[in-house]
Amino acid sequence: MWGDPIAHSKSPGLHAAAYRVLGLDWEYGRRQVSAEAFGSAYDELDASWRGLSLTMPLKEEAFRVAVTRDRHAELTGAVNTLLLGDTTAGFNTDVGGIVDALAEAGVARAASVRILGAGATAASALVAVSEIGAERADVRARRPERAAGLNALGERVGVAVRSQPLDAAAHPVDLTISTLPSGTVLDERTATALAVDGGALFDAAYAPWPSSLAARWQEGVVVSGLGMLLHQAVRQIRIFRHGDPLVELPDEEAVIAAMRAAL
């Protein structure tokens, strides 16, 4: 796992647990790599490397070095998994991780969605909700002008996107997805307004938990980012094992159980 910062990452434990069940003699570690240092670090990799997991701020850097990219990566402009070999293949497993985490919590469909934040994770969230039937997405950001890319992405995936400030008047939605940074504390009036008629809540943050927003949620399912972390990692391991995020692992139920215990 490469990123900056990286010390907090739970991914090494998740992958190690899966490799033990699968009987793979693989190692998965963490390395602090800045966006500026990514190019030189990538060029140093040799044939002993199977792939890379990337977190912020390297998802755009990884997108640029990928020779081929899956649909989710192409849509979002972000790659969090690189499969190395004769050519470098890039994947975005965050989209599938969100879909899988929602399905596990019983949220298989949502026609109207509110997305908090306008960064790379928000783009993955928008693609994810398009795959569970979203028709409308209300994007909330401190600087709504930053959501221009999400407006264009919405057109590509068939979701009507409206960008507004975080404290704009709220309307009922089926699902709220927060991609705000861990530890974000919204003012009481804004948080309360978002929590009323906000439907189910998926919060990409998981430390500390409950998040400030989750603690205020009044009704509906509440899902932490640990579900996304787990399921995007499952898809990463499928890629490292099979080269395809949709090909299940041998005895995948046991793999997932071991990974969940590692959280």
Side-chain angles (χ1 to χ4, degrees), residues 80-253:
N80 75 333
T81 309
L82 288 174
L83 181 64
L84 307 179
D86 294 335
T87 60
T88 299
F91 302 84
N92 179 331
T93 66
D94 287 338
V95 174
I98 294 171
V99 172
D100 292 345
L102 288 172
E104 185 175 65
V107 182
R109 180 170 177 79
S112 57
V113 179
R114 181 181 300 127
I115 298 174
L116 310 182
T121 305
S124 293
L126 181 56
V127 175
V129 298
S130 77
E131 297 185 359
I132 63 170
E135 300 169 357
R136 303 176 304 282
D138 174 17
V139 175
R140 301 296 186 89
R142 287 192 170 89
R143 292 184 292 166
E145 65 274 10
R146 291 190 60 203
L150 295 179
N151 296 341
L153 177 56
E155 291 182 8
R156 295 179 66 188
V157 297
V159 180
V161 174
R162 179 177 61 172
S163 305
Q164 300 188 91
L166 275 170
D167 59 357
H171 302 281
V173 292
D174 299 326
L175 170 66
T176 298
I177 297 183
S178 174
T179 68
L180 301 174
S182 296
T184 297
V185 178
L186 299 174
D187 67 82
E188 183 174 354
R189 184 179 66 84
T190 298
T192 300
L194 291 171
V196 175
D197 293 327
L201 172 66
F202 175 88
D203 196 330
Y206 56 82
W209 189 259
S211 64
S212 173
L213 188 60
R216 292 182 176 276
W217 215 250
Q218 299 185 8
E219 58 184 39
V221 173
V222 176
V223 184
S224 84
L226 285 177
M228 172 184 171
L229 180 69
L230 169 66
H231 288 290
Q232 66 80 26
V234 171
R235 290 178 177 242
Q236 284 186 332
I237 296 164
R238 290 174 179 173
I239 291 166
F240 296 149
R241 181 73 165 75
H242 299 299
D244 188 331
L246 301 181
V247 176
E248 291 192 3
L249 299 165
D251 200 8
E252 187 163 284
E253 287 188 8

Side-chain angles (χ1 to χ4, degrees), residues 19-108:
Y19 300 165
R20 284 194 295 271
V21 175
L22 293 168
L24 296 172
D25 186 22
W26 290 355
E27 295 182 4
Y28 183 106
R30 59 169 68 92
R31 178 177 175 182
Q32 185 166 331
V33 179
S34 67
E36 296 75 19
F38 176 81
S40 59
Y42 174 78
D43 289 341
E44 293 171 359
L45 300 178
D46 59 28
S48 67
W49 288 78
R50 176 64 174 167
L52 291 174
S53 298
L54 297 311
T55 189
M56 297 303 292
L58 303 180
K59 294 180 182 181
E60 291 79 9
E61 302 297 327
F63 181 89
R64 282 190 278 272
V65 302
V67 177
T68 64
R69 309 178 187 98
D70 73 346
R71 177 176 178 271
H72 290 162
E74 290 285 4
L75 285 170
T76 60
V79 162
N80 75 333
T81 309
L82 288 174
L83 181 64
L84 307 179
D86 294 335
T87 60
T88 299
F91 302 84
N92 179 331
T93 66
D94 287 338
V95 174
I98 294 171
V99 172
D100 292 345
L102 288 172
E104 185 175 65
V107 182

